[in-house]
Amino acid sequence: MSTVEQETQARSNGAGAKTIPVTNKATGELIGHGPDLDREQIGELAARARKAQPAWDALGFGGRAEVMNALRRWLVANSDRLIQTISDENGKAWEDGQLELFYTADALSFWGKRAKKYLKDQSFHPHSPFLIGSKVILRYRPYGVVGVIGPWNYPLINNFGDAIPALMAGNAVLLKPSSITPLTSLLVAEGLREIGAPEDVFLVAAGSGGTGTALIDYVDMVHFTGSTETGKKIMAQAAETVTPVTLELGGNDPMIVCADADLERAANAALFYSMQNGGQTCISVERAYVEEPVYEEFVAKVAERARTLRQGVPAGPGSIDIGAMTMADQADIVERHVRDAVEKGAKVVAGGSRNERGGGIFFQPTILRDVDHSMEIMKEETFGPTLPIMRVRNTEEAIQLANDSQFGLDSSVFTKDRDKGEQIARRIEAGATVVNDCMTNYFATEVPIGGIKQSGLGARHGPMGIQKYCHTHNILVTRFAPKRSPLFFPHDKLTTKVIGGFIKLLYGRGGRRKA
Ligand code: NDP
């Protein structure tokens, strides 16, 4: 997309003269501009979204699903341009961009079909004898205007991807993408315009971190994906207005390799899931624990393959395996963690340093051995193409070390014994675990996935992945409505005694366990 086109899009999304330059992260070249909206402009966008929302809600699930399906077809028809934009502004390989399209197309189809089922009214027969004959309904009602704040590592999945269920629930959405990767979100907005989607139900509130701060003050609910540090700030700000938030934050995902694992598969998976997207994936493998008998063989396999990976400027399908680091600050963290590990006794068996190429920032695919928990790389989120591999005596030690973390996002276990794998999985303190693969539970859209501990609050996917974009509305219709209920004033001794007798009769006996 040309700079001129981007500026046109920037204006149509509310920007005046102020824009932020966007570069190709693998080459450093200028590829466009994103809007840099101020507080007043965010207020204007929010007002437009608020005005558009009731008609969007009134369109119903079927009408909204039609829009989602039309957008899905548009994204696929424009896939080359979309993947190119993602790859350019992020610096990632074509295949990593294609994975974003794959997830998003599937999510558009999934939420288009499932939203109605997950949000349909539910009727209940009340348990309380006070409510005999009453009709109780649980209803999901969209908040109104939802703010989605997204990171730079997945400009499509973790940005517009999180807007899909919010839109399907009947909300209007203001999406604040990262200031360094706004072009993909603007392209999606262009797609919605081209397919004739109702105006102003999806608006890109692009700008700096300050734009995100303003956005929180104007919306009815915030879904945030990004660092734990920023997530805490957002939660604190939202507390001022009691605005609901869900947070998808950082991680330091462990992989456990048992002595009975298929080592070939485990090594291939370890390499792919630690390096894919340049290691800049929240649910990437960040640390591996390998049982003693297979440690040497596993390290040798992973290191040998890491040395063959092709890193460089993405030039279309199949051109490279690993792209650039998107942010200079992130590359500094990766460098610091590797240096710290080496100073404390770790050995580099592949890569280990920056790999400067033209205007992009690259870090070599790096494998470390002889690591331990005194090292930052095992305790903090590194978010780069690194894999530290630690030797453990047995699975008990592996589980204990996997759980020795402030984070709890995803995790994985490799063993040929699937029952054992499931038992180990049940003991890992994380929001998700995969046995004999990694990360793929992100594609199981039927099941909630989210972080525990400092990795987040709430989840995406499954019923709660869309119910979170609604508030519940409890409606009770009283069927028997005599002039006076036993609860009404004035209190009298007889009624109180009769109610007391009922309480004793109903709840004073039974429920004891047999010895
Ligand atoms: P940041 O927390 O730096 O930024 C995320 C978004 O928040 C950006 O749009 C940013 O804008 C904005 N922002 C920054 N400060 C504020 C603020 N005070 N108020 C409102 N918005 C603000 O995260 P990164 O972009 O660096 O993303 C990487 C992080 O995201 C990693 O920690 C990774 O683990 C996590 N992540 C988690 C996922 C999950 O599902 N759990 C998935 C993907 C990533 P700007 O960029 O303009 O500063």
Side-chain angles (χ1 to χ4, degrees), residues 9 20 26 58 77 88 119 127 131 170 182 185 235 238 243 249 258 287 369 442 468:
Q9 288 200 20
I20 300 176
D88 285 352
L119 298 182
H127 179 263
L131 302 177
S185 299
M235 200 172 170
T243 300
L249 309 175
C258 299
R287 51 197 169 115
R369 60 169 294 158
Y442 199 91
K468 72 181 183 186

Side-chain angles (χ1 to χ4, degrees), residues 98-119:
Q98 184 163 267
L99 195 68
E100 294 213 49
L101 168 63
F102 176 52
Y103 169 88
T104 307
D106 191 60
L108 283 162
S109 165
F110 175 82
W111 291 115
K113 284 186 199 135
R114 294 292 178 96
K116 187 176 177 183
K117 180 179 163 202
Y118 290 154
L119 298 182

